[in-house]
Amino acid sequence: MIAADLLRHHLFPDFELLGGSGGLNRELSSVSVIDAPDVDRWMRGGEFLIGSGYIFREDPEGFAPFLRRVEEKGIAALGIKLDRYHHQLPGSMVAESDSLNLPLVAIPLNYRWTDVIEGVQAFLFQEKHRGDQAPEDLGSFWEEGLDLRRLLSGFALRLGLPLVVQSTQLGLNHQFLPDGRIEGADQVQAFLKAPVVQEKGLPRRGQILENLELRNSGVLQWCAVYRFVADTPLTLHLGLSAGEQTPSTRQERMVLRALTLLRAAALEVATLSDRWVVKKEKFFEGLCLDIYNDPEMVRANLEELGVALPRRGCIVVASSSREAEPPRWVPPEAVFSHRLGDQWTGLLPLPDPDGAKRDWGQKAERAGVHLALGGTVQTPLEISRSYQEAKRTSNWLREFSLPPGVYLHEELSLYALLDSLARLPEARGVYRRYWEPLLAEPTGGRRSLPLRELAKALIQTDFNARLCAQNLHLHYNTVRNHLEDLEGLLDLDLSNPHHRLGLILASHIHGSFQKRGGEG
């Protein structure tokens, strides 16, 4: 392994070379962590020396002489984690690394030392055993960089079927034939122009849409079509053999494997194509996860990115009401944002709570999106707290199966508190006192509805008997008579605030018991 391997996209995609490019061919054999100013005394040569620069926190210019000492011991490269104690390294250090031809690497804050050590060790192990790998081993593809055409040609050969693959990000618009030939855009267009005379939908596989098409190109042939439509638009057609109408399990597994590799390559291309966007997303993710403990590092990053935080904002976590599907709409005003799986997280200027529900609520409902809002953010170091609140709110939305819309943490925290009441030992007594008699009430009789339904409607209308009657479409006097029966059955006085609170809590406890499948 040489120092240049540290910059391979598959190994450490966001490492950045700051200086010393003339020494990228230095042999690298191990990783060591800077733990003292005289660490050079224990160097044996070939190390990738990594650290946070803590020992030079008060004296950044001390980096340059340190660099000269470790270079004399023959280290392969020096890596410094930025934004822990230094947002930037002094120019004298970068100049010294250039003059010494000693690679100087910037390591992003999110890396743990074990991440770096394990990554280098894995590469060294692969390098040692590279001769034992078969040429078609996918590990070697990742190690040297994916040759996508060769990879897809290999899939077509193993499947014994033609593949048509289209991906703008990867520059693919080709047909791969099982005899090893690779045809270009003209043949692809000829294939796609063949009319589809029949189509069948197949069950969705996560973010992959799948269907079957019967095409008539002079000969009727069924094709299985697989599409990624989210962050990496990608389409793959698998031409089936004569007489086959659906792919076999083996064929489908191989195609899904090919799609996974293609999507990973497309994401890598998208990531590396705009370093500023990636850095902005990584910085925001770090703020959410509370890995910045120095306000000065946060300020320096905000200035470098040219981002001004809103005077009053909040973290919003958006998710689709449809499981495993990314949200189809998110608020467009985000200052920062990133996606993780099927969730979108953003920092947005916060209108008043009623304004948030008004401005975002209808759009979220129409798009089938849950918006979970954390608490107010006024300083960068409050972002983590707001993010944790928004995440908890998002989890509660799933747990309570609430409809799409806008939900504030302080509102749903009350839901969660009431839901947790059922776990308290006192809950059983409240439940038996204020709700269990309603369940034992015999059905039928002179009343137009069960008293437990009346109790639910009464709670929903904040004990307003007239409004309760309107909602139940009953005469007011009828409801008044039923309320007297309710007071008699439960031995309570509805004008007593303690009795009202007991009935409300018992209703929530009953709902929790139902959700958990019984009183236990």
Side-chain angles (χ1 to χ4, degrees), residues 14 109 174 246 253 266 269 323 329 384 400 425 435 448 463 508:
D14 40 8
L109 180 62
H174 297 81
T246 57
R253 283 177 179 170
V269 169
E323 192 172 348
W329 176 85
S384 176
F400 300 142
W435 202 266
S448 54
F463 294 88
H508 282 284

Side-chain angles (χ1 to χ4, degrees), residues 164-182:
V164 172
V165 182
Q166 294 178 294
S167 170
T168 303
Q169 285 175 308
L170 297 174
L172 290 173
N173 189 27
H174 297 81
Q175 181 168 241
F176 301 88
L177 300 176
D179 60 7
R181 286 181 295 138
I182 301 176

Side-chain angles (χ1 to χ4, degrees), residues 151-305:
L151 179 67
L152 291 166
S153 187
F155 272 107
L157 175 64
R158 292 190 178 189
L159 287 164
L161 298 171
L163 296 174
V164 172
V165 182
Q166 294 178 294
S167 170
T168 303
Q169 285 175 308
L170 297 174
L172 290 173
N173 189 27
H174 297 81
Q175 181 168 241
F176 301 88
L177 300 176
D179 60 7
R181 286 181 295 138
I182 301 176
E183 298 181 331
D186 292 342
Q187 287 75 17
V188 171
Q189 290 306 310
F191 167 80
L192 294 176
K193 284 181 180 178
V196 177
V197 297
Q198 191 176 344
E199 192 171 4
K200 298 179 183 178
L202 292 175
R204 187 186 185 117
R205 294 177 177 271
Q207 295 187 41
I208 301 177
L209 302 178
E210 184 178 349
N211 66 292
L212 296 169
E213 297 176 348
L214 180 61
R215 290 183 175 271
N216 186 1
S217 59
V219 177
L220 292 175
Q221 181 188 25
W222 282 97
C223 296
V225 187
Y226 304 83
R227 293 183 176 89
F228 272 117
V229 294
D231 45 12
T232 53
L234 172 65
T235 303
L236 185 150
H237 290 77
L238 172 67
L240 302 180
S241 300
E244 290 186 337
Q245 294 190 10
T246 57
S248 68
T249 301
R250 172 184 171 273
Q251 291 168 344
E252 189 146 85
R253 283 177 179 170
M254 289 189 68
V255 168
L256 293 175
R257 193 170 301 150
L259 282 169
T260 301
L261 292 172
L262 289 171
R263 183 164 186 257
L267 286 171
E268 182 181 22
V269 169
T271 297
L272 296 171
S273 64
D274 194 334
R275 284 190 170 273
W276 183 84
V277 172
V278 174
K279 184 170 184 178
K280 187 176 177 182
E281 289 183 354
K282 285 289 185 184
F283 174 61
F284 176 49
E285 189 176 355
L287 289 175
C288 289
L289 299 178
D290 197 25
I291 67 173
Y292 288 93
N293 60 357
D294 187 339
E296 182 58 29
M297 295 296 107
V298 174
R299 183 197 61 77
N301 274 280
L302 289 171
E303 287 185 0
E304 186 175 288
L305 293 169

Side-chain angles (χ1 to χ4, degrees), residues 280 283-288 292 294-315 333-337 346-350 376-386:
K280 187 176 177 182
F283 174 61
F284 176 49
E285 189 176 355
L287 289 175
C288 289
Y292 288 93
D294 187 339
E296 182 58 29
M297 295 296 107
V298 174
R299 183 197 61 77
N301 274 280
L302 289 171
E303 287 185 0
E304 186 175 288
L305 293 169
V307 175
L309 296 184
R311 293 173 62 184
R312 185 170 180 268
C314 72
I315 295 294
E333 306 93 341
V335 176
F336 281 116
S337 68
L347 171 63
L348 290 100
L350 178 67
T376 302
V377 171
Q378 293 180 307
T379 68
L381 296 182
E382 292 178 320
I383 289 175
S384 176
R385 185 257 310 147
S386 182

